[in-house]
């Protein structure tokens, strides 16, 4: 297994989150890798090195998914009748 270093591109395998490694912490329970995309630390056992191109492709795919979801929500809200909404209390 290749040790990840600051500046490498990596993917957290459980969610597919990708980003650039900005920090590495050594602890008793192992190495923890911080990704710039989330600011979170991930245990090295669940992070794999990826090529920069692969990281960029995943980012573009995520953006496309968000845009598609926004379109779906917009269409759904176009059919909401505001006159029927009831307040609480």
């Amino acid at each position: 297994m290749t040790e990840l270093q600051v500046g490498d591109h990596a993917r957290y395998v459980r969610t597919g989150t990708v980003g650039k490694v900005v920090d590495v912490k050594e602890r008793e329970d192992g190495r923890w890798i911080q990704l710039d995309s989330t600011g979170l630390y991930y245990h090295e056992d669940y992070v794999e090195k990826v090529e920069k191109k692969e990281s960029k492709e995943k980012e573009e795919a995520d953006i496309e998914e968000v845009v598609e979801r926004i379109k779906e929500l917009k269409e759904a809200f176009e059919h909401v009748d505001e006159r029927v909404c009831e307040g609480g209390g």
Side-chain angles (χ1 to χ4, degrees), residues 6-84:
V6 173
D8 288 341
H9 290 267
R11 172 181 26 239
Y12 177 56
V13 297
R14 290 187 171 182
T15 62
T17 300
V18 293
K20 189 174 182 179
V21 177
V22 292
D23 191 25
V24 178
K25 293 201 181 283
E26 300 275 347
R27 294 183 36 161
E28 288 180 18
D29 57 348
R31 295 177 84 228
W32 291 82
I33 310 299
Q34 183 183 30
L35 298 182
D36 67 343
S37 58
T38 61
L40 300 176
Y41 284 86
Y42 303 93
H43 195 277
E44 186 176 46
D45 289 349
Y46 303 102
V47 180
E48 64 185 9
K49 187 173 182 177
V50 296
E51 297 299 317
K52 183 176 181 178
K53 179 182 176 192
E54 190 175 342
S55 176
K56 183 71 175 167
E57 288 172 354
K58 174 67 176 160
E59 181 179 309
E60 289 171 358
D62 288 345
I63 291 170
E64 290 172 5
E65 289 174 13
V66 169
V67 169
E68 185 61 33
R69 182 70 178 135
I70 290 171
K71 287 178 183 176
E72 291 171 1
L73 289 171
K74 182 180 175 192
E75 289 175 11
F77 279 106
E78 287 175 354
H79 302 291
V80 173
D81 186 352
E82 295 175 15
R83 297 172 294 169
V84 180

